[in-house]
């Protein structure tokens, strides 16, 4: 069965349908062309086919009335271009001049077109084919045509426009094809892909591109001079200090006097002097290897004094490297005092836990530190008695003296805060002494100056150790360091003075003189 | 002197020179020496922890201890295993238990000690300076004690005032309180500068002792080891 597409919706319908079964649009023209009458249909000069007369029964009444009105109109003969131009001139009221509002070039084109039309004579009508008489248009319609096309010649372009053959608009020219519009696929509206970028934005784009590209590239570092004035100054200071110290070591001159004792040093000395025979002392080695030179020099006279007094020593440490430093320290003094491990002293090793570990010392020390550094049961077993340094000891309050060798202010403060209150409350003769680095003295001194004292005596740095050694007549323990130390300090003070003088006088020397400024002025 | 002592002395001499080479700037010798120190320290700490902590405090009680010791050793062992779960992001939640325990205990001990061991005693000591009836050892001069107390009081107050940042920006016509606080700030700066100078002197003193010790070691090494070797 043949099908016919709907001109409106484009869907297929059987060819015997009059209207579309989907959109109810008419599929066939109301006036079906009769093959017999088709050849006799009048055609106008533009070739437009006159619509065929539909059957009277199929034509609506309004359309029949409209056709009767058209038939009653008398067609006027088509006017020539001269007549039209004359009408235009009359309408503008300025014959021979450029119409108002019309650009010059349009007027010139119109004039040339007019001249071309003047040379062309209209062809004579063919006698064989007389053709229909031109339709007479009303004046208002003719004026609209002139207004739309501008020139009479453009009217000929209508001949190329198709004539609608089907549907309610059948017979009209220039009707837009509905089916073509509907069936045409509509893609997304195209936009111009090229952005409008200003010159300033282009500059910024280039700058951003350079920045992004430079991120992945290694930039060469600026070349620094291999030897600068800073290097020379550093080497000069180091050379001066080192040469002075080495000179004092190689060629020791007249030994310098050791410093006089201070109050805190004398207090510590008094505490050790008052230790009973076989007194028990807890010694904590809480410093790092980098500070061993100062701490060993400062503490050697103090520990030596303890050994002279015959005190039993218990060595502990809250730092992992402390037990080794303690063994090394005792070994240094071993040739003089012959202290034996497990007899006169015991090394209980490392106390894990930091500050919290100090609280364990105030509790049950046998549980907190059950073994020596050699792995022996420090507090006795079935086959071994309690080691002498630990006899009668259950907590830190049982010691006659607690001595802390420390270089860290936090660790020193932890000992004061955690252990000292327990010592003071549990034992009236118990004391806390310290051997500290010189840099800790401003921090530790307030605990000594407090009332009641929280630290009962301390030795600060090499100077404190030297004064303590002088107090006990053991100057040889610190003599090797003290003289060179004094030379080094003297050199440092000298360098500071020289640098200060240069810093203060250099601007004066480089300032332009008054005569120079007057000459320049 | 044994061969081991000679080897140790040579090694120490070489490492000392490598560290001193930092005077000419950062260089590979200095870096090698630093890496050796760090590696040796880490290894030694590991051995100390195993021998001094894990074995005697956890492993030995678990193997040969009494029932009480075994129960007490299980708790730190479990907490230690839970702490290891921090390695895995999925199981890290279980590690919060030992971390919370460690932080809580450490904070409690530190805060309690700071308040009772430092704050209250130091405030009390600052007040007690003006108690001229109290004997203070060698310092028996009451006048000096009073002057000392006034200096400490002024230093404490002005130093604390220096860390008070509530005076706002500089104004053309400050109020009386702002002028007072600014005066305290300036005096506090003097005390802080003196304190920093004292601390720097202490640091320099400690460093100087270390330098003297190292240079003495080098001189002794050259005298006792290198010169005999060269002479033979």
């Amino acid at each position: 069965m043949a099908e016919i597409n709907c001109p409106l919706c484009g869907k297929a319908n059987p060819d015997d349908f009059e209207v579309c079964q989907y959109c109810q649009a008419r599929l066939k023209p109301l006036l079906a062309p009769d093959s017999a009458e088709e050849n006799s249909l009048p055609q106008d000069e533009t070739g437009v086919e006159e619509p065929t007369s539909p059957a009277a029964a199929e034509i609506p009444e309004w359309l029949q009335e409209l056709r009767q009105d058209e038939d009653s109109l008398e067609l006027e003969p088509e006017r020539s271009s001269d007549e039209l131009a004359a009408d235009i001139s009359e309408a503008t009221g300025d014959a021979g001049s450029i119409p108002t509002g019309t650009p010059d070039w349009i007027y010139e084109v119109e004039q040339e077109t007019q001249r071309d039309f003047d040379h062309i004579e209209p062809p004579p009508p063919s006698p064989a084919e007389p053709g229909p008489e031109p339709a007479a248009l009303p004046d208002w319609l003719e004026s609209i045509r002139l207004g739309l096309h501008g020139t009479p010649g453009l009217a000929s372009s209508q001949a190329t426009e198709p004539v609608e053959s089907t549907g309610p608009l059948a017979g009209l020219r220039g009707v837009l094809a509905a089916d073509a519009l509907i069936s045409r696929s509509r893609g997304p509206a195209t936009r111009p892909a090229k952005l409008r970028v200003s010159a300033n934005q282009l500059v910024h784009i280039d700058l951003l591109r350079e920045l992004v590209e430079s991120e992945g590239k290694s930039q060469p570092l600026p070349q620094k001079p291999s030897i600068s004035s800073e290097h020379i100054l550093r080497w000069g200071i180091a050379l001066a200090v080192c040469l002075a110290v080495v000179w004092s070591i190689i060629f020791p001159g007249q030994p310098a006097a050791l410093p006089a004792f201070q109050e805190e040093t004398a207090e510590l000395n008094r505490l050790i002097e008052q230790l009973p025979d076989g007194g028990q002392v807890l010694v904590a080695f809480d410093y790092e290897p980098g500070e061993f030179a100062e701490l060993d020099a400062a503490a050697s006279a103090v520990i030596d004094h303890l050994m002279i007094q015959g005190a039993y020593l218990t060595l502990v440490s809250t730092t992992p490297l402390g037990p080794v430093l303690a063994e090394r320290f005792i070994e240094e003094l071993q040739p003089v005092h012959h202290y034996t491990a497990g007899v006169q002293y015991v090394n209980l090793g490392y106390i894990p836990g930091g500050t919290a570990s100090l609280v364990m010392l105030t509790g049950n020390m046998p549980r907190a530190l059950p073994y020596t550094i050699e792995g022996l049961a420090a507090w006795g077993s079935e086959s071994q008695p309690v080691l002498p340094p630990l006899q009668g000891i259950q907590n830190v309050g049982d010691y006659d003296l607690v001595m802390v060798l420390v270089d860290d202010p936090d660790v020193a403060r932890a000992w004061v805060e955690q252990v000292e209150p327990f010592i003071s409350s549990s034992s009236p003769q118990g004391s806390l002494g310290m051997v500290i680095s010189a840099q800790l003295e401003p921090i530790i001194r307030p605990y000594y100056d407090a009332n009641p004292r929280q630290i009962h005596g301390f030795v600060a740095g090499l100077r404190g150790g030297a004064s303590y050694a002088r107090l006990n007549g053991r100057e040889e323990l610190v003599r090797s360091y003290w003289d060179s130390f004094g030379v080094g300090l003297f050199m440092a003070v000298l360098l500071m003075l020289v640098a200060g003088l240069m810093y203060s006088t250099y601007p004066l020397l480089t300032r332009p003189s008054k005569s120079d400024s007057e000459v320049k002025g | 002197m044994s061969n081991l002592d000679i080897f140790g002395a040579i090694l120490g001499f070489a490492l000392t020179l490598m560290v001193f080479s930092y005077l000419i700037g950062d260089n590979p010798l200095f870096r090698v020496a630093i890496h050796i120190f760090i590696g040796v320290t880490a290894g030694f700490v590991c051995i100390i922890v195993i021998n001094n902590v894990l074995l005697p405090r956890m492993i030995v009680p678990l193997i040969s201890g009494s029932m009480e010791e075994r129960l007490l050793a299980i708790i730190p062992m479990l907490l230690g295993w839970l702490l290891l779960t921090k390695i895995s992001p999925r199981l890290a939640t279980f590690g919060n238990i030992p971390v919370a325990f460690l932080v809580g205990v450490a904070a409690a001990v530190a805060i309690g000690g700071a308040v009772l061991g430092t704050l209250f005693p130091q405030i009390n000591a600052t007040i007690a300076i003006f108690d001229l009836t109290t004997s203070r050892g060698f310092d028996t001069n009451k006048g000096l004690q009073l002057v000392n107390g006034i200096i400490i009081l002024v230093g404490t107050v002005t130093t604390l005032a220096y860390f008070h940042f509530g005076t706002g920006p500089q104004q053309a016509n400050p109020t009386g309180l702002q002028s007072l606080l600014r005066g305290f700030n300036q005096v506090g700066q003097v005390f802080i500068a003196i304190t920093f100078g004292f601390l720097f002197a202490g640091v320099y003193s400690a460093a100087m002792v270390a330098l003297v010790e190292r240079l003495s070691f080098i001189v002794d090494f050259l005298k006792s080891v290198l010169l005999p070797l060269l002479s033979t």
Side-chain angles (χ1 to χ4, degrees):
Chain A
M1 185 176 181
E3 292 181 342
I4 183 171
N5 291 333
C6 175
L8 189 61
C9 65
K11 295 181 179 177
N13 292 276
D15 60 350
D16 56 344
F17 276 31
E18 292 292 334
V19 294
C20 177
Q21 57 183 342
Y22 302 103
C23 64
Q24 302 303 319
R26 180 162 290 280
L27 299 174
K28 297 179 180 177
L30 290 173
L31 301 177
D34 189 355
S35 59
E37 298 176 354
E38 189 174 5
N39 293 331
S40 62
L41 285 176
Q43 290 185 347
D44 58 7
E45 61 181 309
T46 58
V48 176
E49 294 180 352
E50 292 291 338
T52 57
S53 301
E58 296 177 354
I59 300 175
E61 293 180 356
W62 62 272
L63 190 54
Q64 291 179 0
E65 293 175 356
L66 184 61
R67 281 186 172 273
Q68 290 173 359
D69 293 340
E70 288 181 353
D71 294 341
S72 63
L73 291 175
E74 183 179 0
L75 295 176
E76 292 182 2
E78 192 169 353
R79 301 162 68 185
S80 64
S81 58
D82 294 338
E83 293 172 348
L84 291 174
D87 292 341
I88 292 170
S89 299
E90 289 178 15
T92 56
D94 189 10
S97 64
I98 299 174
T100 305
T102 304
D104 297 342
W105 61 276
I106 292 179
Y107 181 74
E108 292 174 357
V109 170
E110 288 177 348
Q111 293 300 319
E112 291 177 2
T113 306
Q114 182 63 38
R115 286 192 293 273
D116 293 341
F117 271 90
D118 292 342
H119 294 294
I120 298 174
E121 295 182 2
S126 173
E129 295 178 359
E133 294 181 359
L137 295 177
D139 296 337
W140 60 272
L141 186 57
E142 189 66 25
S143 63
I144 290 175
R145 288 185 63 190
L146 288 173
L148 286 174
H149 301 295
T151 59
L154 294 176
S156 63
S157 64
Q158 291 180 350
T160 61
E161 295 179 350
V163 177
E164 186 66 18
S165 60
T166 59
L169 302 178
L172 297 181
R173 185 186 301 277
V175 175
L176 296 176
D179 53 347
L181 290 174
I182 294 172
S183 60
R184 187 174 61 191
S185 61
R186 296 185 177 181
T190 56
R191 298 283 187 270
K194 190 173 182 180
L195 295 176
R196 295 179 180 176
V197 183
S198 64
N200 192 25
Q201 289 171 333
L202 284 174
V203 173
H204 290 168
I205 289 171
D206 292 338
L207 181 61
L208 180 62
R209 185 185 294 118
E210 290 178 1
L211 287 174
V212 172
E213 290 176 351
S214 64
E215 285 294 321
K217 298 177 182 176
S218 59
Q219 300 291 333
L221 293 175
Q223 290 290 335
K224 289 184 177 179
S226 56
I227 298 176
S228 62
S229 59
E230 181 184 355
H231 288 92
I232 295 174
L233 186 63
R234 185 195 301 173
W235 296 340
I237 293 174
L239 193 64
V241 174
C242 289
L243 281 180
V245 172
V246 170
W247 183 269
S248 66
I249 292 172
I250 297 176
F251 306 105
Q254 185 71 21
L258 295 180
F261 66 89
Q262 293 182 317
E263 179 186 340
E264 65 274 5
T265 306
E267 278 294 299
L268 186 61
N269 185 272
R270 184 180 61 83
L271 291 174
I272 296 177
E273 283 287 340
Q274 292 176 352
L275 283 176
D277 290 339
Q280 293 165 308
V281 178
L282 178 70
V283 183
F285 286 78
D286 280 348
Y287 58 92
E288 298 296 330
E291 300 287 342
F292 88 94
E294 183 189 24
L295 267 297
D296 282 8
S300 57
V302 178
I303 303 299
D304 176 79
H305 192 196
L306 286 173
M307 291 181 172
I308 291 174
Q309 292 293 110
Y312 288 105
L313 305 181
T314 303
L315 312 181
V316 295
S317 177
T318 61
T319 62
L321 299 178
V324 181
L325 294 174
E327 285 294 322
R328 177 185 174 280
F329 190 95
I330 297 298
E331 191 177 336
E332 293 285 327
L333 296 175
Q334 190 75 356
V336 181
H337 300 287
H338 306 290
Y339 260 52
T340 306
V343 180
Q344 285 92 4
Y345 80 96
V346 58
N347 191 346
L348 296 181
Y350 168 57
I351 316 171
T355 304
S357 66
L358 299 179
V359 181
M360 291 195 302
L361 298 180
T362 63
N364 191 344
M365 276 191 68
R367 186 183 295 275
L369 295 164
Y371 300 100
T372 67
I373 196 172
E374 296 88 1
L376 302 175
W379 307 90
S381 61
E382 296 176 354
S383 59
Q384 176 189 341
V386 180
L387 297 177
L390 301 176
Q391 285 181 355
I393 300 295
Q394 289 298 316
N395 55 54
V396 73
D398 295 331
Y399 284 100
D400 298 308
L401 176 66
V402 176
M403 182 68 63
V404 182
L405 282 60
V406 61
D407 67 336
D408 188 343
D410 294 331
V411 177
R413 201 170 60 241
W415 275 95
V416 175
E417 293 173 350
Q418 306 296 335
V419 176
E420 193 277 332
F422 185 79
I423 295 174
S424 301
S425 60
S426 61
S427 172
Q429 71 275 11
S431 304
L432 175 64
M434 283 191 175
V435 178
I436 61 174
S437 174
Q439 53 191 321
L440 264 65
E441 186 175 353
I443 300 169
I444 296 301
R445 182 168 287 280
Y447 293 107
Y448 174 78
D449 289 336
N451 189 15
R453 285 181 174 137
Q454 295 178 274
I455 295 176
H456 302 91
F458 69 91
V459 168
L462 181 62
R463 185 176 182 277
S467 64
Y468 196 97
R470 180 184 179 185
L471 205 60
N472 287 337
R474 301 278 290 165
E475 299 181 359
E476 67 274 13
L477 292 174
V478 296
R479 173 59 65 190
S480 59
Y481 287 172
W482 180 251
D483 293 340
S484 301
F485 177 75
V487 172
L489 285 183
F490 173 77
M491 184 57 65
V493 172
L494 188 64
L495 287 172
M496 279 189 269
L497 287 175
V498 171
L501 283 173
M502 289 179 62
Y503 184 77
S504 58
T505 56
Y506 183 74
L508 298 176
L509 296 175
T510 56
R511 181 185 299 175
S513 62
K514 193 173 182 180
S515 58
D516 293 342
S517 59
E518 287 176 352
V519 169
K520 289 181 180 177
Chain B
M1 184 178 285
S2 65
N3 291 334
L4 189 61
D5 292 337
I6 294 175
F7 176 74
I10 293 174
L11 190 62
F13 177 74
L15 287 173
T16 302
L17 292 183
M18 289 164 76
V19 172
F20 277 167
S21 69
Y22 190 74
L23 275 173
I24 60 174
D26 194 8
N27 60 83
L29 290 177
F30 174 76
R31 294 182 188 177
V32 166
I34 294 300
H35 290 160
I36 288 174
F37 287 143
I38 293 173
V40 169
T41 302
F44 188 78
V45 168
C46 182
I47 292 172
I48 287 288
V49 168
I50 291 174
N51 284 335
N52 211 216
V53 180
L54 291 179
L55 283 177
R57 296 167 192 266
M58 194 173 71
I59 305 300
V60 172
L62 280 175
I63 295 174
S64 59
S66 63
M67 184 58 67
E68 180 189 3
E69 290 174 341
R70 289 182 180 180
L71 289 176
L72 287 176
I74 285 175
I75 295 173
M77 187 180 70
L78 285 177
L79 291 175
W81 282 111
L82 287 176
L83 198 59
L84 286 177
T85 60
K86 280 289 183 185
I87 300 172
S88 170
R90 291 176 54 200
L91 305 175
T93 307
F94 296 102
N96 292 340
I97 300 171
V99 169
F101 177 76
L102 291 173
V103 173
V105 170
V109 170
I111 292 174
V115 171
L116 299 177
T118 295
L119 196 60
F120 286 168
Q122 288 300 306
I123 292 174
N124 185 35
T126 306
I127 297 171
I129 291 175
F130 297 96
D131 183 9
L132 300 180
T133 61
T134 305
S135 173
R136 292 183 52 80
F138 295 102
D139 188 10
T140 55
N141 190 326
K142 304 298 181 186
L144 286 178
Q145 183 180 344
L146 184 62
V147 170
N148 191 28
I150 291 172
I151 292 173
I152 290 175
L153 180 64
V154 171
T156 304
V157 172
T158 55
T159 303
L160 288 174
Y162 175 74
F163 291 101
H164 179 269
F165 300 103
T167 56
Q170 295 287 337
Q171 297 177 0
N173 298 317
T175 62
L177 179 61
Q178 289 174 339
S179 300
L180 185 65
L181 282 176
R182 284 176 191 167
F184 280 7
N185 288 350
Q186 292 174 354
V187 178
Q189 286 184 45
V190 173
F191 278 94
I192 291 173
I194 292 173
T195 305
F196 284 158
F198 201 86
L199 287 172
F200 174 75
V203 172
Y204 182 83
S205 174
M208 181 58 69
V209 177
L211 177 67
V212 169
E213 192 276 336
R214 279 295 88 188
L215 291 177
S216 299
F217 167 78
I218 290 175
V219 171
D220 291 342
F221 174 81
L222 293 175
K223 280 183 179 177
S224 60
V225 177
L226 199 58
L227 289 180
L229 287 177
L230 292 176
S231 62
T232 57

